[in-house]
Amino acid sequence: MVTTLKKGDIFYRISSEKDVDLANTYLPSDYRIKRDAKELERYVIMSETEAQKKKPRLEREVVTIPQDLQIFDDNVTLFIYAHKVAFIEFTTETSIIIENEFIASFLQKIFTLLFVSLKRNNR
């Protein structure tokens, strides 16, 4: 993802991983260095529980799924970036990248609808 995106680009993430610390072990060792060097912005949707473990960052905006819904335990993360969509399923360690501008655009629109709706409810 960080090699695909250009400086200042945006990516979108929906995270339902059960263990953020474990999920972070899958990141390449230089991921954060490259991400920060490119000043990538990100918008994230995740559970309230896992969001509390994250440190606030200026280039990341997080909205949460309310705990009372209890629907965010699939152990899957979705990334939408450039003309790509990536799914990572942590339980079986499966991942897939779809390179298709129409699918990426469609999922970005769905992400934006959900993000805006949750942001209104998080106030």
Side-chain angles (χ1 to χ4, degrees), residues 16-107:
S16 73
E17 67 264 6
K18 293 179 181 179
D19 184 342
V20 170
D21 294 328
L22 177 63
N24 285 337
T25 66
Y26 291 91
L27 294 173
S29 59
D30 60 350
Y31 165 75
R32 287 184 177 89
I33 293 167
K34 289 180 177 180
R35 180 199 66 201
D36 293 347
K38 286 191 170 184
E39 300 173 355
L40 299 177
E41 292 186 46
R42 53 207 185 275
Y43 292 88
V44 181
I45 299 170
M46 64 189 329
S47 73
E48 287 181 10
T49 305
E50 295 304 318
Q52 292 171 358
K53 297 177 184 178
K54 295 284 191 182
K55 295 177 184 175
R57 297 182 61 98
L58 292 175
E59 71 283 353
R60 178 181 62 211
E61 186 170 354
V62 176
V63 297
T64 59
I65 301 290
Q67 279 183 314
D68 60 328
L69 292 179
Q70 296 182 13
I71 60 168
F72 241 47
D73 61 355
D74 302 296
N75 216 21
V76 174
T77 295
L78 163 67
F79 291 96
I80 306 162
Y81 60 102
H83 59 282
K84 299 178 183 182
V85 176
F87 293 92
I88 303 170
E89 192 274 298
F90 294 100
T91 303
T92 62
E93 298 181 316
T94 303
S95 63
I96 186 169
I97 296 174
I98 300 169
E99 293 187 48
N100 183 293
E101 65 181 292
F102 301 107
I103 292 172
S105 176
F106 175 70
L107 286 173

Side-chain angles (χ1 to χ4, degrees), residues 5-21:
L5 295 172
K6 296 176 181 71
K7 187 170 183 148
D9 277 353
I10 298 171
F11 68 88
Y12 308 87
R13 184 176 87 222
I14 300 176
S15 295
S16 73
E17 67 264 6
K18 293 179 181 179
D19 184 342
V20 170
D21 294 328

